[in-house]
Amino acid sequence: MRCDEFIPLASDLVEGSLTGASRAEAEAHLSSCAGCRSLVADLSRIADVASTLERRTLPPGNWPALAARLAKEPTWSARPAMSVGPSWTWLAVAAALVAIVGSSLWLVARSFTTTAPHEAASGNGQAPDLVQSIETELALAAEHYEKAISGLEQVASAADSPLDPVVMATLRENLRVIDDAIEESRVALRNEPDSRLAQESLFEAFRRKIGLLQDTIALMNEMRKGDEAGAARIVEGLTKS
Amino acid sequence: MAAFEELYRQHARRLYNLAYRMLGDAADAEDLLQEMFLQAFRKLGSFKGESSLGTWLYRLGMNLCLDRVRSRAAKNGRQTDSLDADDAPVVAATPAPADLVVNRVDLERAIATLPDGCRAAFLLHDVEGFDHREVGEILGISEGTSKSQVHKARLRLRGWLRGRPALAATGTR
């Protein structure tokens, strides 16, 4: 492999998405090319630093100003009933659930990506702190998940619920399987805090959980019946932490 | 409204930062953030649950960002690049350099110099942590195009950070 053949593959190598013969050829080239080794190191460093860039704080007056503009819009309850498309309030429930779960996942993800693996493995006494920090984030995420699932169950068990009890039972069973996978990943992560594989397994399980919730939401969109006012109250309960 | 406020609380800061890094101006970013959520409120009925609500929201937001960037460029008589453009930077073979030092301030400056298309993909993937499939959904491009755009962005950033904005790769053979 020549440098001009290697360069287009460099980011795939950095991201770990290069496999099989291509990866073997790329690694063979790297072993004998200092320039391309430097390229990979640089791209990796750029990606690492990019993931730690700080976020500007949201201007405090933004939501009040937006709320004032939204107040002039037709409210969900005042919108004419639609012959097709989702119910506004069920969508609102869905939005809250996805937002809660998604933010939990993001919090945990940032706790991993902003921590250099060598800090955990350096033996400088920081590893227990890192594990504790990750555990704290995971506990927070788990708490949000429980809220979201509990909210779904409340919606599902309400009178004229859009969700069939059999569907809810299936949902619970699927969630239990995913929870087992999450627990296994957490154990692996406790044993090897800097293991990318354990981290990725954990996030894959979280993504599956979110996907399951999204499937439920899609179902809710199709079953546009139920106690909308009650659902709105549940949403308010969910969003109070 | 409570659920919509929760949606705002969860996503607004991230969208504001994306808008700020796309537009390079805090006031413009704040204004655009309001526009994003106003449009989301109006268009919520078109959300069919086929993708996540977050993806739908980021797609709406990034479309508004890119529209604003292109509109501004048109006023200034400047061209913008296409998201589907796959023009990898010209590669020059140079001797292996010393280790690259990357600090956040310089990287922010370098990101601001990126073409709009690959800047959007880079911000979503490397800064915000979306995977290539999600970036593709948000920007309306294929997963492969997302990968090539992010790669192009990294090469350009490397060139800028090494003081050679023209480019970037350093093969020796």
Side-chain angles (χ1 to χ4, degrees), chain A residues 11 35 42 56 103 106 214, chain B residues 10 17 52 128 151 158 170:
Chain A
S11 277
D42 287 358
R56 294 172 69 90
S103 70
W106 175 250
Q214 286 166 352
Chain B
Q10 297 296 345
N17 277 268
S52 78
E128 296 297 338
H151 180 59
R158 184 187 193 233
T170 62

Side-chain angles (χ1 to χ4, degrees), chain B residues 123-143:
Chain B
L123 289 174
L124 288 166
H125 186 272
D126 279 13
V127 177
E128 296 297 338
F130 290 100
D131 63 34
H132 287 298
R133 182 187 54 77
E134 291 168 321
V135 174
E137 279 185 36
I138 291 167
L139 296 178
I141 56 179
S142 71
E143 194 172 330

